[in-house]
Amino acid sequence: MKDSLIILSGGMDSVTMLHEYKEQIALAVSFDYGSKHNEREIAFARLHCQRLAIEHLVIPLSFMEQYFTSSLLKGGADIPEGHYADYNMKSTVVPFRNGIMLSIAAGLAESRHLRHVMMANHSGDHAIYPDCRPQFVDAMSAAISAGTYEHLTVLAPYTDISKTAIAQRGKALGIDYSETWSCYKGGERHCGKCGTCIERKEALRDAGIIDTTDYEA
């Protein structure tokens, strides 16, 4: 039964979830919030939705780029290089990004008479991003349920698994990860040095997937 909306970035995690749960997804939504890599990601989100014949919407959130502070946003500081374990990656946090997106997605889902909003956070996000942690997901799901007539819920089935485990699922599904985008810098090629590029390399390697990503380094 197609009763769910997915927040789809166009990165490895949400694209995997799109394919894995395609039978229950009625609508995919990408948010153009002014990140340096939005354009790259959204192009792949659109591609996968077209292939799966799933409706895809892009919702602009330009106020976030205008008023929020994060190195992830256009006009922000340079994207730091290094592993997610490094403290400097904290600069890539966009304050309450997932809270804002989930709220909008919930309103849209209820307008479409859907029952669930899906997000593709995973265990590797927890250290850096407060709005990817289990307690946040549980609290937002409870708030969305309380605030909607049909008691919508948040589904986040990857919350407690690693990016490698997600890549393994994608491998089984036959996903070509060169048709996803990770790099926060948003250049012509993946930089190979920022936290998301390093995490991408490690996940593909550990999942036994040949990495065909075009990296600068």
Side-chain angles (χ1 to χ4, degrees):
M1 179 179 179
K2 289 185 175 288
D3 61 358
S4 301
L5 176 158
I6 185 174
I7 298 175
L8 180 68
S9 69
M12 287 179 60
D13 311 320
S14 63
V15 166
T16 303
M17 186 173 288
L18 180 77
H19 283 265
E20 184 174 2
Y21 293 91
K22 63 184 179 182
E23 299 302 326
Q24 74 182 71
I25 295 172
L27 177 64
V29 179
S30 300
F31 292 98
D32 187 353
Y33 59 97
S35 78
K36 293 168 180 168
H37 65 311
N38 256 159
E39 182 178 353
R40 297 292 181 191
E41 282 190 313
I42 290 173
F44 285 121
R46 183 178 297 112
L47 172 68
H48 287 277
C49 285
Q50 287 173 344
R51 286 182 179 167
L52 297 175
I54 292 173
E55 183 183 358
H56 179 231
L57 298 179
V58 179
I59 296 178
L61 298 178
S62 58
F63 71 89
M64 295 176 72
E65 176 189 353
Q66 185 175 0
Y67 296 114
F68 289 17
T69 299
S70 171
S71 65
L72 199 65
L73 301 174
K74 297 174 185 175
D78 290 342
I79 297 292
E81 296 180 351
H83 200 278
Y84 267 127
D86 298 337
Y87 182 79
N88 65 355
M89 288 304 296
K90 188 177 179 181
S91 76
T92 64
V93 172
V94 178
F96 207 61
R97 175 181 59 178
N98 284 341
I100 294 166
M101 293 179 180
L102 284 168
S103 297
I104 295 169
L108 180 56
E110 186 164 44
S111 297
R112 294 291 190 96
H113 306 291
L114 302 175
R115 301 301 304 271
H116 309 289
V117 175
M118 304 188 73
M119 64 181 293
N121 59 309
H122 63 85
S123 64
D125 294 329
H126 299 173
I128 296 294
Y129 301 110
D131 57 358
C132 288
R133 297 169 185 163
Q135 56 267 43
F136 167 83
V137 174
D138 292 344
M140 281 299 295
S141 186
I144 287 171
S145 178
T148 52
Y149 277 112
E150 298 301 321
H151 303 294
L152 277 66
T153 57
V154 175
L155 300 181
Y158 294 170
T159 298
D160 295 320
I161 68 173
S162 68
K163 197 176 192 77
T164 297
I166 294 170
Q168 288 170 335
R169 294 187 182 196
K171 181 180 180 181
L173 292 165
I175 296 172
D176 179 358
Y177 282 119
S178 70
E179 296 179 333
T180 62
W181 188 267
S182 297
C183 182
Y184 278 171
K185 295 185 181 182
E188 291 295 324
R189 303 159 65 194
H190 281 72
C191 75
K193 296 179 180 179
C194 70
T196 49
C197 280
I198 292 172
E199 184 186 50
R200 178 189 182 95
K201 288 179 179 180
E202 292 176 346
L204 293 173
R205 178 199 67 204
D206 294 345
I209 298 171
I210 296 174
D211 190 352
T212 59
T213 307
D214 185 13
Y215 294 107
E216 293 178 0

